[in-house]
């Protein structure tokens, strides 16, 4: 883990985000590793958590640990489903829905656990959620509304290539919240290499440019520049 800090330190980001067991692999707990980054790089961090692998007791216990470690920015994700194959040696838990976990994290900010018992720890979590963008570049607005009602403070979209995605998100938020201030949205941008593994499909035009030797960083900068010309200034890079 110490070796990875050198490459991270070269990225002048406002926050470093740590994923939750990507690829269903055993990895350092996201909250613990986020704390490690914060300590050594002295930059703020975001930890992803999922209700897929832990029940309510385990999740809230580790979130109390996040408070002690001063990891206050949490993004709740549903989590990739574990395939039902014979060689899989662990199972889905999902004691919470994603919006249910968001709601209970906000209760923890009020010093109450999921049983409405008092917590001694003073929690100050800022809770984020994700916005899924399907292949047709549409958004599940009812699910988005559930997350907002549960107390989501900010959103991250899945990384995308179709530049109409922000319009779709804004239309959905406008319909859900016609008379309320809309939450902050950070838009996901891929930096691709020739053999990058991503969620979803890479457009043929992007694949052709990568095969022709175009740097994935240049393609990402081009996408960001286009969005900035439309007044969008909040991004995260994957």
């Amino acid at each position: 883990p110490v070796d990875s800090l050198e490459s991270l330190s070269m990225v002048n980001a406002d926050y470093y985000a740590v994923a939750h067991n990507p690829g269903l692999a055993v990895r350092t707990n996201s909250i613990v590793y986020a704390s490690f980054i914060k300590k050594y790089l002295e930059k703020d961090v975001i930890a992803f958590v999922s209700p897929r692998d832990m029940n309510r007791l385990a999740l809230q216990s580790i979130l109390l640990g996040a408070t002690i470690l001063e990891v206050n920015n949490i993004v709740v994700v549903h989590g990739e489903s574990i395939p039902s194959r014979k060689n899989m040696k662990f199972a889905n838990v999902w004691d919470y829905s994603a919006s249910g976990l968001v709601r209970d994290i906000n209760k923890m900010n009020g010093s109450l656990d999921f049983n409405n018992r008092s917590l001694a720890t003073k929690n100050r979590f800022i809770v984020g959620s994700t916005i899924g963008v399907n292949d047709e570049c549409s958004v599940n607005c009812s699910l988005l509304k559930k997350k907002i009602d549960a107390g989501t403070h900010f959103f991250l979209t899945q990384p995308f290539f179709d530049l109409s995605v922000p319009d779709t998100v804004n239309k959905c938020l406008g319909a859900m919240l016609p008379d309320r201030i809309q939450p902050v949205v950070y838009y996901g941008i891929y930096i691709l290499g020739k053999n990058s593994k991503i969620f979803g499909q890479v457009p043929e035009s992007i694949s052709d440019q990568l095969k022709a030797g175009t740097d994935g960083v240049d393609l990402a900068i081009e996408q960001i520049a286009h969005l900035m010309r439309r007044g969008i200034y909040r991004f995260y890079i994957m």
Side-chain angles (χ1 to χ4, degrees), residues 11-12 25-26 41 68 78 92 115 142 171 181 190 193 206 231:
V11 180
N12 187 25
V26 176
L41 296 186
I68 293 171
H78 180 262
N92 300 305
N115 278 320
S142 61
K171 182 179 179 181
I181 296 174
Y190 280 121
I206 300 292

Side-chain angles (χ1 to χ4, degrees), residues 56-118:
R56 296 173 188 230
L57 181 62
L59 278 165
Q60 292 207 343
S61 295
I62 201 164
L63 284 165
L64 292 182
T67 290
I68 293 171
L69 295 172
E70 299 183 343
V71 177
N72 300 313
N73 303 309
I74 303 293
V75 170
V76 174
V77 294
H78 180 262
E80 180 186 359
S81 180
I82 298 167
S84 56
R85 298 198 301 261
K86 290 183 179 179
N87 63 335
M88 299 304 290
K89 298 182 180 179
F90 56 106
N92 300 305
V93 177
W94 280 319
D95 203 13
Y96 273 119
S97 64
S99 57
L101 179 53
V102 170
R103 183 175 291 107
D104 269 9
I105 292 175
N106 279 298
K107 279 178 62 177
M108 293 178 74
N109 283 341
S111 298
L112 292 175
D113 72 5
F114 63 91
N115 278 320
N116 290 320
R117 294 171 180 161
S118 296

Side-chain angles (χ1 to χ4, degrees), residues 17-224:
V18 182
H20 174 89
N21 293 95
L24 302 177
V26 176
R27 294 288 184 270
T28 303
N29 177 270
S30 58
I31 290 170
V32 172
Y33 192 54
S35 172
F36 178 78
I37 292 171
K38 185 172 184 176
K39 176 181 177 181
Y40 285 96
L41 296 186
E42 297 182 345
K43 284 287 190 81
D44 215 340
V45 290
I46 300 171
F48 283 63
V49 298
S50 169
R52 182 192 62 205
D53 308 324
M54 292 179 280
N55 66 16
R56 296 173 188 230
L57 181 62
L59 278 165
Q60 292 207 343
S61 295
I62 201 164
L63 284 165
L64 292 182
T67 290
I68 293 171
L69 295 172
E70 299 183 343
V71 177
N72 300 313
N73 303 309
I74 303 293
V75 170
V76 174
V77 294
H78 180 262
E80 180 186 359
S81 180
I82 298 167
S84 56
R85 298 198 301 261
K86 290 183 179 179
N87 63 335
M88 299 304 290
K89 298 182 180 179
F90 56 106
N92 300 305
V93 177
W94 280 319
D95 203 13
Y96 273 119
S97 64
S99 57
L101 179 53
V102 170
R103 183 175 291 107
D104 269 9
I105 292 175
N106 279 298
K107 279 178 62 177
M108 293 178 74
N109 283 341
S111 298
L112 292 175
D113 72 5
F114 63 91
N115 278 320
N116 290 320
R117 294 171 180 161
S118 296
L119 296 169
T121 308
K122 300 297 182 183
N123 305 294
R124 295 181 178 84
F125 295 115
I126 299 173
V127 193
S129 295
T130 56
I131 299 176
V133 180
N134 65 23
D135 292 339
E136 289 76 38
C137 293
S138 64
V139 172
N140 187 331
C141 292
S142 61
L143 181 58
L144 186 58
K145 180 67 161 50
K146 278 186 179 179
K147 293 178 178 180
I148 292 170
D149 290 343
T152 295
H153 301 122
F154 67 97
F155 284 96
L156 283 70
T157 71
Q158 289 178 324
F160 59 91
F161 298 101
D162 191 317
L163 297 175
S164 69
V165 166
D167 296 328
T168 304
V169 171
N170 287 330
K171 182 179 179 181
C172 185
L173 288 172
M176 294 295 102
L177 306 168
D179 302 314
R180 289 166 54 184
I181 296 174
Q182 294 184 6
V184 169
V185 178
Y186 293 87
Y187 291 93
I189 306 293
Y190 280 121
I191 294 183
L192 296 176
K194 285 186 178 180
N195 300 310
S196 295
K197 293 182 179 180
I198 70 165
F199 300 102
Q201 298 293 322
V202 178
E204 188 174 345
S205 59
I206 300 292
S207 296
D208 290 344
Q209 290 181 72
L210 290 170
K211 290 175 184 176
T214 304
D215 194 322
V217 173
D218 292 335
L219 292 175
I221 290 172
E222 182 180 333
Q223 183 179 359
I224 290 171

